[in-house]
Amino acid sequence: MKMETSDEILVDRAQAGDGDAFGQLLERHYDMILRLGYRMLGTQSLAEELAQDLCCALPTKLGSFRGDAKFTTWLYRVTMNAAKDYLRKQRSRENAQKGWGDMFELQQHDASEKANDRAWLAQAMTVLPPDIRETLVLILTEDMKQAEAAEVLGVPEGTISWRISEAKKHLRALAQSEEAYP
Amino acid sequence: MSDKLDRLEAALKAAKPSANPDRKAEILTLARKSFDAAQENATQPRPTHKSAQNVPDIWTGVKDMFRSINLRPVLYATSALCVGGLAIIITQPFTVGPMGLTDSFNEAETASLEKRQVSEKLKSKADEGAWNSTAGATVEAKVKPKKERISTLSDSLSQDASRPAVSAPAPSAIVAGKVRRVISAEEVVQPVPQQSNESFSNDAPNPLKITNQDPVSTFSIDVDTASYAYIRSSIEGGMLPPSEAVRIEEMINYFPYDYLAPDISEAPFSTSLSVFQTPWNTNTKILHIGIQGAKPEIDNRPPLNLVFLIDTSGSMQAQNKLPLLKQSFSLMLNSLRPADKVAIVTYAGSAGTVLEPTSADQKGKILESLNRLSAGGSTAGQAGLQQAYSLAEKMQSDGSIGRVLLATDGDFNV
């Protein structure tokens, strides 16, 4: 069996100017970037836009990777930061594409159960502030432990558990408003 | 309550982007290009006067040097040498330094003088071979209050002093202080920003507009170009211009574009449109709208009667005021025609006519009176204006254009 070259070796080579190593790294992790982007932003096109911007910025960003964390941890962090930047920009871009918000409006009229779930998700994600959103994406869908998520997001572990309980509060409030205005 | 979280988990996990191999390939290719571009640009950012200041870490070097020298006599000897040598280095830039460096100049000069005395005192002590810590302490006390910097440095050094090998904290502190002065001396020799009373009142930049929602935009048709020249003179003077002096539109408008002029009978202005790829963003394009107003006829213009009202108050003395004005004036003279008439009125403490209306072909006479102008006194703007206008009235004749041109640096009646 052929041993796969480790991320860290590829990063070393890429930092030394090896374009093939860089290409291999991206090939390996592109799906992760797209997946995170999609769950943070809510639409395919936004996720792809984010992936493109991030991938094109990575050559420069890579210079700041010092190897004191795992490459994937660093990449998670960079991706999440980029996604949050997008959310911030979106808010300032009045009436521009709204991601999860758009999705919510689009699918409200679709009656199928699957669409119902999507609509609920879109609504829930819109309600959750970006910090909590990113925490949930990492914990729930990337199956990270709280300590890992804390390392990625650069916050204490306590903050992560606080954010999860905040998320529950938000979802509870959402459920109550659903009952009040079904 | 965690069933809500479970539901969110299930829904989030179900929310997956669809695989789009073409788009992926496209993005990866773009990233690869960006990687190659980054390799070419892997040079250091341009040095500015700010980054240059961060470079010399002489201080660390000095500290390391003293750490590595353990022989006490050697330490004494070299310290004495350093003190003597550095005092000379410090005094030199100031003896040849430019005049008018005012406060920092004087402070540095007195400081270096004092330190020279101190160093002489130290040297004599060193000659006696009895440079004990008491002497060091008095010297330190003398130097310390001069600059806070020195005291912080000697603090950090005294940590070293706790090491048994280096038992002469005070001399080291003085050397450190000297070294710092050398650096500050360089700071002083750098171009000192001119005392400038320029002020800028900029409106907040217009926000981004989404054109398919908000297609109407307006812009002003008058053209200012001062920013470009201001920035150029500032950079040529070795300084970065203040950020508020950078006005992109004025820099664009500074250059002639040779747009097609409109047919005056059809429209007051013509537009030229072009769309091109944004150089820094492959996803957007730039729409460029050029506007050219009807050009006034120059060849057949009527004769001009110009009255120059020139402020010759004391504040106009600066090299970039009255002297520059004289220079520009004599350049302009070449584009006047014999039929044009020029008069000059000046005002400072009082107003006076320097040049009676003179035909523009008598260049010698005009230049002579122009060169006699010198700045001094207060500013009586009102009297100057009245005199200029009465002169302009006298010059009036049918079919000619009369203008009063005011050249001043600001305050009108002082």
Side-chain angles (χ1 to χ4, degrees):
Chain A
M1 202 179 93
K2 203 180 143 204
M3 278 273 285
E4 209 180 38
T5 321
S6 78
D7 283 347
E8 280 65 29
I9 291 180
L10 287 180
V11 172
D12 263 0
R13 282 195 210 147
Q15 282 178 336
D18 181 344
D20 290 333
F22 177 73
Q24 233 176 310
L25 266 181
L26 276 194
E27 182 71 43
R28 205 178 274 184
H29 297 291
Y30 175 83
D31 290 345
M32 184 268 267
I33 296 175
L34 188 67
R35 187 173 69 226
L36 287 181
Y38 186 76
R39 286 175 177 152
M40 286 296 285
L41 305 175
T43 71
Q44 180 87 20
S45 67
L46 277 180
E48 278 168 353
E49 201 181 315
L50 173 80
Q52 176 172 335
D53 285 359
L54 181 60
C55 288
C56 291
L58 270 185
T60 336
K61 282 192 197 291
L62 212 54
S64 69
F65 176 69
R66 300 259 168 270
D68 37 16
K70 265 176 68 181
F71 176 69
T72 42
T73 307
W74 178 81
L75 191 60
Y76 268 118
R77 181 185 307 154
V78 172
T79 310
M80 280 310 193
N81 286 342
K84 276 197 288 184
D85 272 354
Y86 255 68
L87 290 174
R88 212 172 295 138
K89 260 187 258 166
Q90 259 181 47
R91 226 174 304 149
S92 63
R93 229 189 291 168
E94 223 189 332
N95 288 331
Q97 232 179 337
K98 271 188 290 191
W100 282 119
D102 270 1
M103 191 68 79
F104 174 54
E105 278 157 30
L106 268 179
Q107 289 172 342
Q108 256 183 334
H109 307 291
D110 196 332
S112 77
E113 197 186 330
K114 202 180 154 205
N116 245 339
D117 267 0
R118 287 278 299 163
W120 178 82
L121 173 65
Q123 200 181 4
M125 290 305 266
T126 322
V127 166
L128 296 170
D131 282 347
I132 294 181
R133 218 188 275 193
E134 65 175 6
T135 309
L136 291 182
V137 167
L138 292 180
I139 300 261
L140 298 181
T141 70
E142 300 294 319
D143 293 324
M144 281 193 185
K145 297 201 171 54
Q146 295 201 357
E148 290 171 286
E151 197 192 349
V152 166
L153 300 177
V155 296
E157 228 180 299
T159 308
I160 299 290
S161 44
W162 178 80
R163 282 183 187 172
I164 292 176
S165 67
E166 279 296 291
K168 286 179 188 164
K169 270 190 223 165
H170 278 289
L171 292 176
R172 206 183 303 146
L174 181 68
Q176 277 164 0
S177 74
E178 268 173 354
E179 279 161 26
Y181 312 98
Chain B
M1 220 61 258
S2 66
D3 59 325
K4 288 285 171 220
L5 218 54
D6 289 345
R7 186 179 175 194
L8 188 71
E9 179 175 351
L12 257 185
K13 276 187 174 160
K16 280 187 204 141
S18 41
N20 190 345
D22 290 347
R23 188 81 169 93
K24 178 177 175 180
E26 184 196 343
I27 290 173
L28 291 189
T29 317
L30 280 173
R32 196 50 204 277
K33 272 188 202 151
S34 151
F35 184 88
D36 294 338
Q39 296 310 308
E40 282 164 26
N41 296 336
T43 45
Q44 286 291 313
R46 279 174 301 156
T48 62
H49 66 293
K50 270 185 192 158
S51 62
Q53 281 176 347
N54 296 335
V55 175
D57 208 355
I58 297 178
W59 170 231
T60 325
V62 170
K63 220 155 112 179
D64 287 349
M65 186 180 85
F66 278 96
R67 259 199 206 129
S68 59
I69 298 174
N70 283 331
L71 295 170
R72 194 177 295 187
V74 174
L75 178 64
Y76 288 166
T78 50
S79 303
L81 275 177
C82 281
V83 173
L86 284 168
I88 292 161
I89 295 172
I90 294 158
T91 51
Q92 220 136 34
F94 295 106
T95 49
V96 297
M99 291 303 290
L101 286 181
T102 59
D103 290 343
S104 41
F105 176 83
N106 292 332
E107 189 198 329
E109 194 183 43
T110 43
S112 71
L113 270 176
E114 276 201 34
K115 278 173 190 167
R116 212 159 16 158
Q117 289 162 1
V118 171
S119 71
E120 276 161 15
K121 205 167 148 191
L122 283 182
K123 250 196 282 185
S124 60
K125 289 277 185 192
D127 290 342
E128 288 165 28
W131 198 6
N132 57 32
S133 57
T134 348
T138 55
V139 174
E140 189 189 22
K142 201 164 176 184
V143 177
K144 222 172 173 178
K146 274 320 279 183
K147 267 271 171 216
E148 272 188 23
R149 269 203 207 135
I150 297 178
S151 65
T152 49
L153 285 168
S154 58
D155 284 350
S156 59
L157 243 200
S158 53
Q159 292 169 0
D160 283 16
S162 61
R163 291 154 53 101
V166 183
S167 60
S172 329
I174 291 158
V175 172
K178 291 288 184 187
V179 171
R180 282 312 291 204
R181 283 318 295 179
V182 173
I183 296 169
S184 339
E186 278 166 8
E187 287 165 7
V188 173
V189 176
Q190 276 186 354
V192 177
Q194 261 180 15
Q195 262 296 318
S196 160
N197 48 10
E198 304 282 356
S199 62
F200 304 91
S201 55
N202 288 348
D203 291 329
N206 285 324
L208 180 73
K209 274 195 169 186
I210 311 286
T211 45
N212 62 11
Q213 287 164 10
D214 194 3
V216 178
S217 184
T218 59
F219 46 92
S220 67
I221 202 99
D222 65 328
V223 170
D224 281 326
T225 60
S227 176
Y228 182 88
Y230 188 94
I231 290 168
R232 182 181 53 196
S233 81
S234 161
I235 289 174
E236 280 177 348
M239 266 167 312
L240 288 175
S243 62
E244 60 268 33
V246 182
R247 294 177 176 164
I248 302 299
E249 74 281 11
E250 293 186 16
M251 296 174 78
I252 293 174
N253 285 335
Y254 182 85
F255 297 95
Y257 291 92
D258 209 14
Y259 295 131
L260 208 61
D263 186 342
I264 191 74
S265 60
E266 283 173 11
F269 63 87
S270 68
T271 55
S272 32
L273 301 175
S274 54
V275 178
F276 54 93
Q277 182 68 53
T278 312
W280 58 89
N281 186 344
T282 51
N283 294 321
T284 58
K285 293 197 157 83
I286 289 180
L287 168 64
H288 169 216
I289 306 176
I291 290 188
Q292 174 66 59
K295 285 179 177 161
E297 215 172 340
I298 290 178
D299 290 343
N300 297 321
R301 69 164 167 79
L304 300 172
N305 292 329
L306 303 179
V307 179
F308 286 89
L309 176 55
I310 299 178
D311 177 355
T312 52
S313 61
S315 63
M316 289 289 282
Q317 205 164 16
Q319 201 55 37
N320 61 0
K321 290 181 180 173
L322 191 59
L324 181 67
L325 180 70
K326 286 182 186 174
Q327 208 184 340
S328 325
F329 193 109
S330 50
L331 284 174
M332 186 218 61
L333 219 50
N334 293 326
S335 58
L336 293 181
R337 299 174 191 163
D340 302 331
K341 283 201 176 92
V342 174
I344 301 177
V345 175
T346 63
Y347 66 91
S350 61
T353 303
V354 176
L355 180 70
E356 292 292 341
T358 308
S359 167
D361 57 357
Q362 300 184 13
K363 263 183 212 160
K365 189 178 169 195
I366 298 173
L367 285 177
E368 191 194 340
S369 56
L370 191 64
N371 286 333
R372 273 204 309 267
L373 298 183
S374 64
S378 65
T379 313
Q382 188 191 348
L385 264 185
Q386 281 162 342
Q387 188 150 359
Y389 270 93
S390 71
L391 198 60
E393 258 167 36
K394 266 195 270 170
M395 289 163 78
Q396 219 171 27
S397 64
D398 282 343
S400 66
I401 300 176
R403 292 281 185 274
V404 173
L405 292 111
L406 170 63
T408 177
D409 64 343
D411 299 329
F412 214 59
N413 274 318
V414 180

